[in-house]
Amino acid sequence: MDIILLQRIEKLGTIGDVVTVKDGYARNFLLPQKKALRANEANKKVFEANRDRLEKENAERRSEAEKAGTKVDGVEIILIRAASNTGQLYGSVNVRDIVNGLADKGHEIDKKQVIMGNPIKTIGMHDVRVDLHPEVSVTIKANVARSDDEAELQTQGVDVLAQMFEDEQAAIEEQAEATRIETTLEPGEISADMLEETAEADASDSEENAEG
């Protein structure tokens, strides 16, 4: 179907452009939401007669959105959620959570303006796009963490997931090293570390006895 755009549509065009889209997309989305008109001769004449007014109104809305954007752009919202030791959430963070988080910061955003693609399913710092106008987009930060302390670390730039992975790897390597030492000892033999610890303990006992 050929349509006349009444506002900028991502990947399609800007106001006044005549483009071809799938019939379902036009009937179910663009036309009902008054984002476009059917590109027949009557509508083309109506659009041209009102082009100046439509473009002026669009410019005014864009200007208002740009002003609002200076207050919202870069805002960080903290969302505390339960998650596993690997950082996977028991659930997810969705558009409604983002809207509520922004509202708590004093920013009233319509859920249709939040562009996420997929829900957030891991802890960490996540960029979320907010379209304040078809030509004005800003990015906010969703700080998803298991605690306020963890959120603070992420605000400071610490990659909590990476730190968790490194700690887990260190524990695995430590366990592997302990296992390797145990399997290389002869029957009745003890490791050098254990000998050293025993010697230190004996020395400590001797000092205590001498003092006594």
Side-chain angles (χ1 to χ4, degrees):
M1 180 187 297
D2 289 342
I3 58 171
I4 306 168
L5 297 181
L6 298 179
Q7 65 178 57
R8 178 183 176 276
I9 302 294
E10 190 173 5
K11 297 181 181 179
L12 277 184
T14 189
I15 186 169
D17 288 350
V18 177
V19 297
T20 302
V21 298
K22 292 182 178 179
D23 289 358
Y25 182 44
R27 293 196 185 101
N28 300 326
F29 179 68
L30 297 176
L31 298 180
Q33 295 195 17
K34 298 182 179 179
K35 296 177 184 292
L37 294 172
R38 290 176 181 270
N40 54 40
E41 290 304 316
N43 283 341
K44 287 179 181 179
K45 290 178 181 178
V46 170
F47 175 80
E48 289 303 327
N50 291 278
R51 177 188 282 271
D52 291 344
R53 178 180 61 81
L54 291 171
E55 291 182 343
K56 181 180 179 181
E57 290 175 352
N58 180 67
E60 290 173 351
R61 289 193 298 270
R62 182 176 64 239
S63 178
E64 292 173 0
E66 288 171 346
K67 290 178 182 178
T70 60
K71 300 177 182 179
V72 181
D73 193 27
V75 164
E76 178 182 322
I77 59 174
I78 295 175
L79 302 167
I80 304 302
R81 295 291 186 274
S84 68
N85 289 334
T86 61
Q88 294 292 317
L89 301 185
Y90 297 131
S92 62
V93 169
N94 56 33
V95 169
R96 186 182 298 277
D97 297 317
I98 300 299
V99 170
N100 291 339
L102 287 170
D104 291 340
K105 289 274 189 174
H107 305 290
E108 296 300 323
I109 300 296
D110 188 280
K111 64 182 182 180
K112 294 179 181 177
Q113 295 176 304
V114 178
I115 312 300
M116 289 186 67
N118 296 310
I120 296 170
K121 296 185 177 181
T122 61
I123 64 173
M125 295 290 286
H126 302 270
D127 289 341
V128 178
R129 193 179 100 195
V130 178
D131 288 350
L132 300 175
H133 178 273
E135 300 171 44
V136 180
S137 296
V138 297
T139 301
I140 64 105
K141 299 281 186 181
N143 183 347
V144 184
R146 294 174 297 181
S147 66
D148 290 332
D149 290 341
E150 195 170 77
E152 179 60 28
L153 287 174
Q154 293 184 155
T155 296
Q156 295 172 6
V158 176
D159 188 333
V160 173
L161 274 180
Q163 187 64 55
M164 287 165 53
F165 177 76
E166 290 176 6
D167 292 345
E168 184 179 348
Q169 288 297 110
I172 291 173
E173 291 173 5
E174 184 177 336
Q175 180 62 38
E177 178 64 16
T179 301
R180 184 189 66 78
I181 291 173
E182 291 175 2
T183 56
T184 56
L185 294 176
E186 295 294 332
E189 185 181 2
I190 62 175
S191 69
D193 288 343
M194 292 178 64
L195 283 172
E196 186 176 338
E197 291 173 0
T198 301
E200 290 177 354
D202 290 343
S204 178
D205 290 342
S206 296
E207 290 178 1
E208 290 179 359
N209 292 334
E211 292 175 357

